[in-house]
Amino acid sequence: MVAAFSAKSSTKQYGVRCISLPAARSHPVAMKIEHELNKLKSWEISSSSSSNGEKICLGVAGLGELYRCIDEFLGLPLTREALAQHQHENCWVNELLDGLLLYLDICGSTRDVVLMIKQSVRELQSALRRSKVGDFTIDGSVNAYICSRKKINKEIIKCLASLKQMEYNTFGSSRVLELNDHLALLIQLLRKVSRITTCIFNSLLQFLSVPTLKPKSTKWSMVLKQLLHKDKSVATFEGQWEANEFEDVDIALSNVLMMRQSSCKDDDEDDDEAEIKNIESAQEKLEALDGGIEGFENALECLFRRLIQTRVSLLNVLSQ
């Protein structure tokens, strides 16, 4: 297994010993990194009570800004000098490079997953726009959407397995931390960056992997009742439950299918009107999901570029 820098949240992982680095920490770039880390820590606390896609997207965008600051830190003369002076202690740098490469792979795979979801959502949107009252092709379109989601979930499981590699690995020996304050600060910051990177990717992948149910009458009826009548007093530690964008779509689609199944039994104009409203509601929910997915796509693209630049900057520093 490739060794990589730590993603554990324990304070012990941020340093082998307690180090006071007032001069290094007071550098404007180091302070910016700490500021971005604090913002993402606040994001982590608030996101634990909500699976809202917009909030998770903000976390991914914030991660991109954090890596921009890391890239700036790597370009500092002090950083270049510290790395040059301790080349013999830089075995951890290879671990760092490998870790960045793994994050790049996860980011690219997650971006591919998002594109797959985007395609399946838009295909269902197109099918609903073409549909008419009593059109049985809707059932097939929803089935195709469900099958696509299941296939996508298998890809997400692979991404989560790769992410697991980052949880228990560390880098940077105690000797490195003792030799140079600036280098020690860089290592400590990168450990924190790794932990929050893993946290945000995990939140995003868990959000994208909402379980799917087969669109049969009894199962869709069951999930609808569960989602609409969930006990809000125990759903989250804040005491309130909020459906995410995927669940909103599932509720809307279950309404469409159940109304169609009941309307098959008798021809009623009221049922036709209700079916039209349910289809329109499903289209609205799909449009909201599509907008959120596009936000993820843009944020991941930006983060992917930042990760590449960070790795290139580190390689450039080492080659000088």
Side-chain angles (χ1 to χ4, degrees), residues 112-113 116-117 119-120 143-159 208-210 212:
D112 291 341
V113 163
M116 291 169 65
I117 295 173
Q119 181 180 352
S120 67
N143 268 313
Y145 170 76
I146 296 299
C147 290
S148 175
R149 284 263 299 275
K150 289 181 177 179
K151 179 181 178 182
I152 290 168
N153 282 352
K154 291 180 180 179
E155 296 300 317
I156 293 175
I157 290 173
K158 295 178 184 178
C159 292
L208 296 175
S209 62
V210 175
T212 58

Side-chain angles (χ1 to χ4, degrees), residues 168-221:
Y168 303 105
N169 295 312
T170 61
F171 77 101
S173 67
S174 58
R175 177 168 171 75
V176 174
L177 292 171
E178 293 168 358
L179 284 174
N180 184 285
D181 282 354
H182 193 81
L183 204 56
L185 175 60
L186 174 62
I187 292 173
Q188 292 174 352
L189 290 174
L190 288 172
R191 286 174 173 172
K192 295 178 183 180
V193 170
S194 177
R195 190 201 68 80
I196 197 65
T197 301
T198 299
C199 173
I200 290 174
F201 270 120
N202 185 68
S203 295
L204 173 57
L205 290 167
Q206 294 291 347
F207 173 81
L208 296 175
S209 62
V210 175
T212 58
L213 292 178
K214 295 180 180 179
K216 293 182 179 179
S217 176
T218 55
K219 290 188 177 181
W220 281 89
S221 178

Side-chain angles (χ1 to χ4, degrees), residues 73-85 87 182 317 320:
F73 194 85
L74 289 172
L76 294 175
L78 282 172
T79 306
R80 294 199 298 268
E81 181 182 349
L83 288 170
Q85 287 178 352
Q87 287 287 339
H182 193 81
V317 170
Q320 292 175 357

Side-chain angles (χ1 to χ4, degrees), residues 4-52:
F5 45 104
S6 173
K8 287 182 71 67
S9 60
S10 170
T11 305
K12 294 180 182 178
Q13 297 298 321
Y14 294 155
V16 175
R17 60 186 177 85
C18 181
I19 301 174
S20 178
L21 308 171
R25 289 192 183 282
S26 63
H27 193 284
V29 180
M31 294 175 67
K32 281 199 293 184
I33 293 172
E34 291 285 6
H35 177 66
E36 294 300 325
L37 282 167
N38 287 335
K39 287 200 300 184
L40 289 174
K41 181 62 178 178
S42 298
W43 169 91
E44 182 182 6
I45 294 171
S46 64
S47 65
S48 64
S49 62
S50 173
S51 58
N52 181 276

